[in-house]
Amino acid sequence: MAVRLNEDETLVNTIREGLRQKNGYCPCRLEMTEENKCICEEFKAQIADPDFEGYCHCMLYYKSKD
């Protein structure tokens, strides 16, 4: 299992700017709750799932099985 940044540098820069503006909360979510603090609880659960492979909600991170 490996987690990496999205290969699209423009998207990564946009998401990181959104994270800065929202003090570390996912810029893709309206609610600023602990569950939405990057790395969000949703993606943490996906990381823990051995069958999951794909991007987090905002597409900043990618989890691969290998």
Side-chain angles (χ1 to χ4, degrees), residues 6-66:
N6 190 319
E7 294 173 357
D8 182 338
E9 193 174 314
T10 301
L11 182 118
V12 168
N13 290 337
T14 300
I15 297 299
R16 283 184 167 167
E17 179 58 30
L19 285 166
R20 277 190 285 279
Q21 290 177 8
K22 289 186 76 176
N23 296 318
Y25 293 94
C26 180
C28 303
R29 308 264 186 188
L30 294 177
E31 302 84 19
M32 290 175 59
T33 62
E34 284 304 308
E35 292 84 25
N36 294 335
K37 191 101 170 177
C38 191
I39 290 177
C40 68
E41 292 299 319
E42 178 184 4
F43 194 55
K44 287 178 186 175
Q46 291 170 329
I47 290 170
D49 179 355
D51 294 323
F52 177 80
E53 182 168 358
Y55 289 100
C56 68
H57 176 81
C58 66
M59 297 190 64
L60 179 61
Y61 296 106
Y62 183 84
K63 180 206 169 199
S64 61
K65 292 183 191 179
D66 303 330

